[in-house]
């Protein structure tokens, strides 16, 4: 496949405010999940559960989208003795910590809302948080363990009920240095540790049978010190589940060794793209390709890219014809300088189609850092 910037340029305009701002008490930390219901309303969720609050937004598009209300959870987050209705992680450990919503789907027949969220063992544990080294207040070098959970709402996102954990790494969520209550289960051995499934996006086929989940997995050498030394890998993977039409949700199957064949929880996985932080995917009808925005995380941690600012804010683009085989990501520049942020997402500007489908080469890019305002940029793909 040809390199993107051999065929196209990106014309990036100036920033304006999106609806997802700190002044409305949301502190987005990741890309914002969106979905359009059968009545044509575009819904979005923004925020996370331990700073400000999580809110539902609605409109016809980004131009008129407004905050509707703060969501309520019919379950606790935080302390392991109370969180997530006591539904243990698949490894047998009591769950703990916060939720970061990154995926949204609305059943067309029942109008039930489904949200998939990111969870980490080292944040907001209220005395029960832990990372690869043991108990912590906040994780050392980001070395805590990720899971992806599912919740649903029957009142357009006002109240949410926790369902289950849907995606887990092959390796268990603790190490031989510390057992967080898993009984006789064995933790990961040695210094090279993998940290589970998270930092993800959803790609929902508008006319197809599947909901795809593209996620990250971190690998670290915890014998070392400093982000530039400890991080070994951060790559993208993919899983999928079949759509249903009865208001229930099936299980995910991971892509492994050329097929979707491994269990979403504790199954094996094959990487689809290297050095990729928090992928976000749309399908471009004009280009007949999938486009992924992300951040090159390992190379920025190790300061291998000249011209980065101190927060290493930059976007990269990769394309695919099948969601599995991706071109090598290419860095994005604006006016000769590296451009982007920690989290980057393409969002259409139209008022009809699903938010992961581009019907034209003009659209918006939303980006933010950890808990900052989400800014909106007008963008156009121009054929060379």
């Amino acid at each position: 496949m040809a390199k993107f910037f051999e065929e196209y340029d990106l014309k990036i305009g100036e920033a304006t405010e999106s609806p997802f701002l700190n002044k409305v008490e949301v502190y987005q930390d990741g890309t914002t999940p969106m979905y359009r219901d059968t009545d044509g309303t575009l819904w979005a969720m923004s925020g996370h559960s331990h700073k400000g609050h999580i809110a539902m937004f609605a409109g016809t598009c980004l131009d008129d989208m407004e905050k509707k209300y703060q969501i309520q959870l019919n379950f606790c987050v935080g302390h392991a003795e109370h969180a997530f209705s006591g539904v243990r992680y698949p490894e047998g450990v009591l769950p703990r910590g916060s939720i970061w919503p990154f995926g949204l789907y609305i059943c067309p027949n029942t109008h039930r809302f489904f949200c998939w969220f990111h969870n980490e063992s080292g944040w907001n544990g209220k005395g029960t948080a832990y990372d690869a080294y043991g108990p912590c207040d906040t994780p050392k070098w980001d070395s805590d363990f990720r899971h992806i959970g599912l919740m649903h709402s029957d009142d357009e996102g006002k109240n949410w009920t926790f369902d289950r954990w849907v995606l887990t790494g092959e390796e268990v969520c603790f190490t031989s240095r510390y057992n967080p209550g898993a009984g006789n289960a064995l933790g990961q051995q040695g210094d090279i540790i993998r940290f589970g499934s998270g930092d993800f996006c959803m790609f929902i086929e508008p006319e197809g049978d599947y909901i795809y989940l593209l996620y990250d997995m971190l690998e670290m050498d915890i014998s070392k010190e400093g982000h530039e030394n400890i991080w070994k890998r951060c790559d993208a993977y993919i899983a999928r589940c079949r759509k249903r039409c009865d208001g229930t949700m099936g299980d995910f199957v991971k892509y492994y060794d050329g097929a979707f064949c491994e269990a979403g929880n504790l199954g094996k996985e094959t990487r689809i793209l290297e050095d990729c932080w928090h992928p976000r995917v749309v399908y471009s009808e004009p280009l007949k390709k999938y486009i992924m925005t992300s951040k090159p995380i390992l190379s920025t941690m190790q300061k291998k890219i000249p011209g980065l600012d101190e927060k290493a804010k930059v976007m990269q683009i990769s394309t695919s014809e099948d969601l599995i085989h991706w071109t090598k990501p290419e860095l994005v520049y604006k006016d000769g300088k590296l451009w982007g942020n920690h989290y980057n997402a393409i969002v259409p500007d139209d008022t009809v189609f699903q938010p992961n489908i581009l019907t034209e080469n003009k659209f918006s890019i939303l980006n933010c850092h950890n808990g900052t305002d989400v800014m909106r940029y007008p963008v156009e793909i121009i054929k060379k």
Side-chain angles (χ1 to χ4, degrees):
M1 291 183 282
K3 292 182 177 180
F4 182 84
F5 289 115
E6 288 180 351
E7 296 187 68
Y8 307 99
D9 282 325
L10 283 184
K11 181 181 177 182
I12 303 171
E14 298 306 312
T16 58
E17 290 185 342
S18 80
F20 317 115
L21 302 171
N22 295 173
K23 67 183 181 183
V24 297
E25 299 184 84
V26 295
Y27 295 83
Q28 183 63 24
D29 186 15
T31 62
T32 303
M34 301 180 185
Y35 199 76
R36 194 179 299 279
D37 67 19
T38 54
D39 299 322
T41 301
L42 181 65
W43 293 87
M45 298 180 73
S46 189
H48 57 91
S49 62
H50 69 271
K51 185 176 183 180
H53 56 248
I54 302 168
M56 299 301 302
F57 294 74
T60 64
C61 63
L62 285 173
D63 291 338
D64 60 11
M65 182 171 279
E66 296 180 345
K67 179 180 174 182
K68 304 297 285 186
Y69 32 76
Q70 176 182 344
I71 75 165
Q72 302 296 324
L73 301 177
N74 299 329
F75 58 95
C76 294
V77 296
H79 197 287
E81 289 187 8
H82 311 290
F84 300 101
S85 304
V87 179
R88 292 174 181 261
Y89 296 139
E91 300 94 328
V93 176
L94 282 172
R96 62 208 71 197
S98 288
I99 67 171
W100 289 259
F102 292 154
L104 180 64
Y105 174 70
I106 303 169
C107 177
N109 294 327
T110 67
H111 206 62
R112 172 171 282 183
F113 284 36
F114 292 94
C115 171
W116 293 266
F117 59 83
H118 171 92
N119 165 261
E120 296 186 24
S121 66
W123 290 97
N124 191 36
K126 297 188 181 298
T128 64
Y130 72 94
D131 60 17
Y133 304 91
C136 66
D137 292 323
T138 58
K140 186 178 182 180
W141 315 123
D142 295 294
S143 67
D144 58 339
F145 295 88
R146 280 85 166 147
H147 295 83
I148 297 174
L150 172 66
M151 60 184 184
H152 76 268
S153 170
D154 285 339
D155 55 8
E156 296 189 327
K158 294 184 180 73
N159 296 277
W160 293 85
T161 298
F162 177 67
D163 292 320
R164 63 189 188 275
W165 302 102
V166 300
L167 212 66
T168 304
E170 179 190 1
E171 295 82 9
V172 297
C173 61
F174 59 99
T175 72
S176 59
R177 290 167 171 79
Y178 175 68
N179 187 323
N184 290 343
L186 299 176
Q188 295 186 52
Q189 308 294 305
D191 295 327
I192 308 300
I193 304 298
R194 302 181 83 205
F195 289 91
S197 308
D199 298 295
F200 66 94
C201 77
M202 316 295 296
F203 181 84
I204 300 168
E205 295 181 329
E207 305 299 332
D209 294 330
Y210 292 101
I211 296 171
Y212 289 89
L213 193 156
L214 293 93
Y215 61 99
D216 280 342
M217 186 166 293
L218 293 172
E219 182 179 299
M220 300 182 185
D221 182 347
I222 62 172
S223 69
K224 300 185 181 301
E225 295 285 323
H227 279 107
E228 68 275 15
N229 298 315
I230 188 173
W231 287 50
K232 300 287 289 183
R233 304 195 67 92
C234 182
D235 303 323
Y237 299 79
I238 190 169
R240 72 183 185 186
C241 72
R242 192 180 298 278
K243 288 181 182 177
R244 297 177 61 96
C245 57
D246 58 357
T248 61
M249 188 58 61
D251 289 331
F252 279 95
V253 178
K254 292 178 179 177
Y255 178 78
Y256 173 69
D257 197 23
F260 288 94
C261 61
E262 282 280 323
N265 284 318
L266 300 172
K268 294 179 180 292
E269 48 241 314
T270 296
R271 73 177 62 96
I272 59 171
L273 190 65
E274 296 182 352
D275 194 14
C276 170
W277 175 257
H278 202 85
R280 175 78 173 231
V281 174
V282 297
Y283 181 75
S284 169
E285 291 184 345
L287 274 56
K288 306 301 181 189
K289 293 178 181 180
Y290 299 95
I291 302 174
M292 179 195 293
T293 54
S294 64
K295 174 181 171 175
I297 189 70
L298 186 64
S299 50
T300 58
M301 287 288 186
Q302 298 174 346
K303 300 178 173 61
K304 291 182 178 180
I305 300 175
L308 286 175
D309 66 11
E310 63 179 17
K311 288 193 173 183
K313 301 193 297 289
V314 65
M315 188 177 89
Q316 63 184 9
I317 281 186
S318 185
T319 63
S320 173
E321 296 177 357
D322 60 5
L323 287 174
I324 304 297
H325 303 91
W326 292 89
T327 59
K328 184 178 180 180
E330 299 172 69
L331 298 175
V332 175
Y333 290 80
K334 181 180 186 293
D335 301 326
K337 296 181 180 180
L338 290 168
W339 182 87
N341 213 319
H342 199 54
Y343 302 108
N344 306 278
I346 292 174
V347 178
D349 293 325
D350 72 78
T351 62
V352 176
F353 297 97
Q354 288 298 347
N356 54 8
I357 301 297
L358 293 180
T359 58
E360 59 181 356
N361 284 333
K362 291 183 178 181
F363 49 86
S364 294
I365 288 181
L366 301 180
N367 67 29
C368 66
H369 211 277
N370 302 114
T372 66
D373 288 337
V374 178
M375 302 306 292
R376 179 185 180 185
Y377 296 82
V379 179
E380 183 177 4
I381 297 175
I382 299 174
K383 178 78 172 177
K384 287 185 175 179

